Amino acid sequence: MKDSQGARVNVGVSGTGGGFSKFLRGETAINDASRPIAPNEMEKAEEAGIEFIEIPVAYDGLAVVVHPENDWVDCLTADELREIWKPSSSIDRWTQIRPSFPDRPLDLYGPGTASGTYDYFTEAIVGESGASRSDFTASEDDNVLVQGIRGTETALGYFGLAYYENNVSELTALGVDPDGPDSGASCVTPSAETVNSGRYRPLSRPLFIYVNPAKITPTVEKFVTFYLQNAAELAADVGYVAMPDEAYDLALQRLQNRTTGTVFGEEGVDATGTRVEEMLRTAAGGSSTSDTTATE
């Protein structure tokens, strides 16, 4: 708005699904989304005659952390995290996670229920957004979580990767094994590199904006271009991980070419671990059957 006199950017707050509902009613020009558009949403778009340009903008990565003097765990499996955090969990001691862990209390810390990080973690680990046990120390202020975990040797918690990296000297980040010890996969610790490569699963995923091409005025086009030109620099400020430069260049091409549709196909997909630049490169080469180019 400072760079474009007369432009007004109006932002409404809702979850991804609620945002898509407004977008598919033609009420908004741009919808932020923490996942790809779902099959039922694509059906509604077709019924309403609304096309969309799918533009990835950053990666979201979460860190699972413990007290720096915790010397008994360096990795947990996704299944172990699920057993700890699911709504019916009664795990309250470390030895209940693995018999080799000490028989000591398990003190849990995490974002509050109003946090998007809470929604993402529960969706990725438990399998349903918002499904979580409630007997943990919760706060929307990551500083509170850092201090709580730093002051409790038996603590386990989670929050955005960027915030962990700002407090790396005070905490220890655990590796996550996405498929369990018998799968042949290995534990991967969170970092910008492992998030970008898609190896840190399931706690990394791409984030998107969806743009209605029928609502692209000169101001909207300038805004989305400005967004993509600045997203890499600003991503870490809000707890996200920047995509490679190539991904932003390819995303901008989708806007400029009015390339509509999704690179994920019409059946829906779990986007955790996705390397978006590879999918965008494939789509730009014309080998993605779900993409079409709108003409003006």
Side-chain angles (χ1 to χ4, degrees), residues 24-39:
L24 298 176
R25 290 196 298 266
E27 297 175 10
T28 57
I30 302 168
N31 185 48
D32 299 349
S34 59
R35 56 164 173 78
I37 188 169

Side-chain angles (χ1 to χ4, degrees), residues 9-16 18-20 22 27-33:
V9 181
N10 298 311
V11 181
V13 179
S14 69
T16 293
F20 267 125
K22 294 181 177 65
E27 297 175 10
T28 57
I30 302 168
N31 185 48
D32 299 349

Side-chain angles (χ1 to χ4, degrees), residues 60-66 85 109-112 115-118 120-121 137 139-150 156-168 170-173 190 200 203 239:
D60 190 4
L62 303 186
V64 178
V65 300
V66 295
W85 286 97
Y109 292 80
S115 167
T117 302
Y118 171 88
Y120 171 28
F121 183 86
T137 301
S139 177
E140 267 77 20
D141 185 343
D142 288 340
N143 284 301
V144 173
L145 300 179
V146 168
Q147 294 308 312
I149 297 167
R150 179 64 183 87
L156 173 74
Y158 68 91
F159 41 70
L161 172 60
Y163 208 81
Y164 161 70
E165 291 181 332
N166 288 336
N167 294 275
V168 67
E170 299 187 57
L171 303 165
T172 297
Y200 184 58
L203 292 178

Side-chain angles (χ1 to χ4, degrees), residues 271-282:
T272 59
T274 297
R275 295 187 67 182
V276 293
E277 70 273 19
E278 293 182 357
M279 302 194 76
L280 291 173
R281 195 183 308 124
T282 299

Side-chain angles (χ1 to χ4, degrees), residues 26-150:
E27 297 175 10
T28 57
I30 302 168
N31 185 48
D32 299 349
S34 59
R35 56 164 173 78
I37 188 169
N40 68 310
E41 291 163 341
M42 284 187 274
E43 291 176 7
K44 291 178 181 178
E46 185 174 358
E47 291 169 0
I50 291 178
E51 294 185 302
F52 55 85
I53 303 171
E54 180 181 71
I55 300 176
V57 295
Y59 288 110
D60 190 4
L62 303 186
V64 178
V65 300
V66 295
H67 188 277
E69 295 180 11
N70 181 318
D71 60 1
W72 60 85
V73 59
D74 57 12
C75 177
L76 291 172
T77 69
D79 283 343
E80 287 170 333
L81 288 170
R82 184 177 303 110
E83 290 302 309
I84 293 167
W85 286 97
K86 67 183 183 181
S88 60
S89 178
S90 60
I91 294 176
D92 59 7
R93 302 191 72 81
W94 279 94
T95 191
Q96 292 174 273
I97 304 173
R98 291 184 200 171
S100 60
F101 291 164
D103 186 16
R104 300 185 64 181
L106 175 66
D107 298 285
L108 296 174
Y109 292 80
T113 57
S115 167
T117 302
Y118 171 88
D119 291 338
Y120 171 28
F121 183 86
T122 51
E123 181 179 346
I125 293 299
V126 182
E128 179 183 349
S129 178
S132 173
R133 65 191 297 170
S134 59
D135 56 337
F136 65 97
T137 301
S139 177
E140 267 77 20
D141 185 343
D142 288 340
N143 284 301
V144 173
L145 300 179
V146 168
Q147 294 308 312
I149 297 167
R150 179 64 183 87

Side-chain angles (χ1 to χ4, degrees), residues 172-223:
T172 297
L174 300 184
V176 176
D177 182 342
D179 304 311
D182 299 327
S183 68
S186 59
C187 281
V188 179
T189 53
S191 68
E193 189 278 324
T194 58
V195 168
N196 259 318
S197 70
R199 292 190 296 116
Y200 184 58
R201 297 185 295 114
L203 292 178
S204 65
R205 62 178 177 178
L207 304 170
F208 305 87
I209 59 174
Y210 285 78
V211 183
N212 183 338
K215 291 183 176 292
I216 297 181
T217 64
T219 300
V220 169
E221 178 142 17
K222 186 173 181 180
F223 171 76

Side-chain angles (χ1 to χ4, degrees), residues 232-244:
E233 180 181 350
L234 296 176
D237 290 351
V238 291
Y240 297 141
V241 176
M243 301 188 303

